Amino acid sequence: MSDDIPEPDRVSGAPHPRETLRLLGHDRAERMVLDAFATGRMHHAWLITGPRGIGKATLGWRMARFLLSQPAGTESSLFGAPEPPQSLDIRADSPVARRVSALSEPRLFLLRRSYDHKSKRLKQDITIDAARKLKGFFALSAADGGRRVVLIDAADELNPSAANAILKLLEEPPASATLLLIAHQPTRLLPTLRSRCRTLALRPLSPEHLSQALAQAGADPVEGPSASGLAALAEGSVGAAWTLIENEGFAFYGGLIRLLARAPGIDRNEALALANVSAEHLLSRLSLIEILLARLARTGISGPPDPEAAPGEGALFARLAPDPASARRWAALQQSQGDKLRHGAAVNLDPSALLLDTLLAIDGAAHVPAPA
């Protein structure tokens, strides 16, 4: 893969999932795959679901390497059956692992959004032209007797025509073929497509596993209360946590909590300093403000967040959102400010002015009228 062409399934600055050999926090899902393989019930299509960035692609690549390292027909052979594998691990220096890492494994087909050289950006969805290449892939012979793997990342990015092409493939799957479909929002898929897959639903990572996954990816270690706070803010997603650390978003959220501790009546100079961001970081900062407002609104319904995403968050939110009426007010502000922020970013308004206006709007909303 050329360094000049971005990969749609890679978090910026982080190792690609195919380069991550160890998967943390999803032992149950791996055991389901191993049990199916060992008992000869390996489904021809697996739908790997869960929030973005929690390890779905890493599991998909592990499954692909494992299957391609096993000769076709070895699942539950009655005569001379080998000992069932206890892990999806294969050696990092094995020929299969090296070819998969280099995207040169001929028995693996990766279907994902392609790069448009004319517009110099990634396409918005997976097109029918990309899906049609599967026909040529399955027409080729395989040296090991026919085992093939197709990895689709992500299936919810298939356009309608491409989704129908995949559906036809699932209805009449080629022999010794396994399709691995990654989906961040499986409800967007055709019901008939979902029904032809076995689902592996992954859950958000615990703070411990999240910290281990970040360290494995090369991020600075996050320990103690900060690990729980980062996991809460990232909602158990190592991809989201990586972005929060790399873009200093975790520190920005802590600054938001400290600033709003004085609301109503925040310090304008502190607000100006916090709002002083580049256009490059604008969208990530706007996203964090929306997350703050959503967590604030939930507090009015279900109580302060536990664990806190930043020190002082629980006490602040309990004060600003003590009841369902306040929750509705904050939810309405989240909606109105979210629309305003997205519009401002789209028309290239000054990032600092846009953020400052939003912080002042939150401060204004903190003025709770006295009961009549």
Short mmCIF file of all heavy atoms in Angstrom, two decimals, residues 6 8-9 32 35 64 66 69 132 165 207 212 236 241 264 297-298 324 326 347 370:
data_model
loop_
_atom_site.label_atom_id
_atom_site.label_comp_id
_atom_site.label_asym_id
_atom_site.label_seq_id
_atom_site.Cartn_x
_atom_site.Cartn_y
_atom_site.Cartn_z
N PRO A 6 -4.27 7.13 1.66
CA PRO A 6 -4.80 6.78 2.99
C PRO A 6 -5.60 5.50 2.95
O PRO A 6 -6.20 5.15 1.93
CB PRO A 6 -5.69 7.98 3.34
CG PRO A 6 -6.10 8.55 2.01
CD PRO A 6 -4.93 8.32 1.10
N PRO A 8 -8.82 3.56 4.45
CA PRO A 8 -10.06 3.93 5.14
C PRO A 8 -10.28 3.19 6.45
O PRO A 8 -11.07 3.63 7.29
CB PRO A 8 -11.15 3.55 4.12
CG PRO A 8 -10.53 2.46 3.29
CD PRO A 8 -9.08 2.82 3.20
N ASP A 9 -9.59 2.08 6.64
CA ASP A 9 -9.79 1.26 7.83
C ASP A 9 -8.64 1.39 8.82
O ASP A 9 -8.40 0.51 9.64
CB ASP A 9 -9.97 -0.21 7.44
CG ASP A 9 -8.94 -0.69 6.42
OD1 ASP A 9 -8.13 0.14 5.96
OD2 ASP A 9 -8.95 -1.88 6.07
N MET A 32 -15.70 -18.70 20.36
CA MET A 32 -16.80 -19.09 19.48
C MET A 32 -16.27 -19.52 18.12
O MET A 32 -16.73 -20.51 17.54
CB MET A 32 -17.80 -17.94 19.34
CG MET A 32 -18.60 -17.64 20.59
SD MET A 32 -19.63 -16.15 20.41
CE MET A 32 -20.72 -16.66 19.08
N ASP A 35 -14.37 -22.91 18.51
CA ASP A 35 -15.30 -24.02 18.71
C ASP A 35 -15.97 -24.41 17.40
O ASP A 35 -16.14 -25.60 17.09
CB ASP A 35 -16.35 -23.65 19.75
CG ASP A 35 -15.79 -23.60 21.17
OD1 ASP A 35 -14.66 -24.08 21.37
OD2 ASP A 35 -16.48 -23.08 22.07
N ALA A 64 -8.74 -14.25 9.54
CA ALA A 64 -8.26 -14.47 8.17
C ALA A 64 -6.91 -15.19 8.18
O ALA A 64 -6.72 -16.19 7.46
CB ALA A 64 -8.15 -13.13 7.44
N PHE A 66 -5.60 -17.03 10.56
CA PHE A 66 -5.78 -18.37 11.09
C PHE A 66 -6.34 -19.32 10.02
O PHE A 66 -5.80 -20.42 9.81
CB PHE A 66 -6.73 -18.32 12.29
CG PHE A 66 -7.17 -19.66 12.80
CD1 PHE A 66 -6.34 -20.41 13.61
CD2 PHE A 66 -8.40 -20.18 12.44
CE1 PHE A 66 -6.74 -21.66 14.07
CE2 PHE A 66 -8.82 -21.42 12.90
CZ PHE A 66 -7.98 -22.17 13.71
N SER A 69 -4.01 -20.25 7.25
CA SER A 69 -2.89 -21.11 7.67
C SER A 69 -3.32 -22.56 7.87
O SER A 69 -2.47 -23.43 8.09
CB SER A 69 -2.29 -20.58 8.98
OG SER A 69 -3.19 -20.76 10.06
N ARG A 132 -17.58 -6.33 -7.73
CA ARG A 132 -17.54 -7.24 -8.88
C ARG A 132 -16.19 -7.93 -9.04
O ARG A 132 -16.09 -8.97 -9.70
CB ARG A 132 -17.89 -6.47 -10.15
CG ARG A 132 -19.39 -6.21 -10.31
CD ARG A 132 -19.66 -5.32 -11.49
NE ARG A 132 -21.10 -5.12 -11.70
CZ ARG A 132 -21.62 -4.08 -12.34
NH1 ARG A 132 -20.81 -3.14 -12.84
NH2 ARG A 132 -22.92 -3.97 -12.48
N ALA A 165 -24.82 -7.42 -4.43
CA ALA A 165 -23.84 -8.36 -4.98
C ALA A 165 -23.30 -9.28 -3.89
O ALA A 165 -23.13 -10.48 -4.10
CB ALA A 165 -22.70 -7.59 -5.65
N PRO A 207 -11.33 -0.69 31.08
CA PRO A 207 -10.18 0.22 31.20
C PRO A 207 -8.85 -0.51 31.14
O PRO A 207 -7.89 -0.02 30.53
CB PRO A 207 -10.42 0.88 32.57
CG PRO A 207 -11.90 0.87 32.74
CD PRO A 207 -12.34 -0.43 32.12
N GLN A 212 -3.97 -1.68 27.90
CA GLN A 212 -3.05 -2.64 27.30
C GLN A 212 -3.03 -2.52 25.78
O GLN A 212 -1.96 -2.61 25.16
CB GLN A 212 -3.45 -4.06 27.70
CG GLN A 212 -3.27 -4.36 29.19
CD GLN A 212 -3.83 -5.72 29.57
OE1 GLN A 212 -4.39 -6.44 28.74
NE2 GLN A 212 -3.68 -6.09 30.83
N GLY A 236 -14.92 2.71 25.70
CA GLY A 236 -14.32 1.40 25.50
C GLY A 236 -13.72 1.15 24.15
O GLY A 236 -13.41 0.02 23.81
N ALA A 241 -9.89 6.17 21.83
CA ALA A 241 -8.92 6.55 22.86
C ALA A 241 -7.61 7.01 22.23
O ALA A 241 -7.00 7.98 22.68
CB ALA A 241 -8.68 5.38 23.81
N PRO A 264 -22.88 28.97 36.21
CA PRO A 264 -22.83 30.08 35.26
C PRO A 264 -21.85 31.16 35.72
O PRO A 264 -21.70 31.39 36.91
CB PRO A 264 -24.26 30.60 35.28
CG PRO A 264 -24.77 30.26 36.64
CD PRO A 264 -24.12 28.96 37.01
N ALA A 297 -26.84 15.56 29.75
CA ALA A 297 -28.27 15.27 29.64
C ALA A 297 -28.62 13.94 30.30
O ALA A 297 -29.64 13.82 30.99
CB ALA A 297 -28.69 15.28 28.18
N ARG A 298 -27.76 12.93 30.13
CA ARG A 298 -28.03 11.62 30.74
C ARG A 298 -28.00 11.69 32.26
O ARG A 298 -28.69 10.94 32.94
CB ARG A 298 -27.02 10.59 30.24
CG ARG A 298 -27.27 10.11 28.81
CD ARG A 298 -26.55 8.80 28.53
NE ARG A 298 -25.11 8.93 28.61
CZ ARG A 298 -24.33 9.25 27.59
NH1 ARG A 298 -24.87 9.47 26.38
NH2 ARG A 298 -23.02 9.33 27.73
N PRO A 324 -35.00 15.44 35.47
CA PRO A 324 -35.36 15.22 34.06
C PRO A 324 -35.62 16.50 33.28
O PRO A 324 -35.33 16.55 32.08
CB PRO A 324 -36.61 14.35 34.16
CG PRO A 324 -36.45 13.61 35.45
CD PRO A 324 -35.81 14.60 36.38
N SER A 326 -34.09 19.37 33.56
CA SER A 326 -32.79 19.89 33.14
C SER A 326 -32.17 19.00 32.06
O SER A 326 -31.49 19.48 31.16
CB SER A 326 -31.85 20.02 34.34
OG SER A 326 -31.66 18.77 34.97
N VAL A 347 -18.91 25.64 6.62
CA VAL A 347 -18.71 26.89 5.87
C VAL A 347 -17.42 27.60 6.30
O VAL A 347 -17.20 28.76 5.99
CB VAL A 347 -19.92 27.84 6.04
CG1 VAL A 347 -21.17 27.19 5.47
CG2 VAL A 347 -20.13 28.22 7.51
N ALA A 370 -35.27 30.21 38.67
CA ALA A 370 -35.79 29.80 39.98
C ALA A 370 -37.20 29.28 39.83
O ALA A 370 -37.96 29.74 38.98
CB ALA A 370 -35.77 30.98 40.94
#
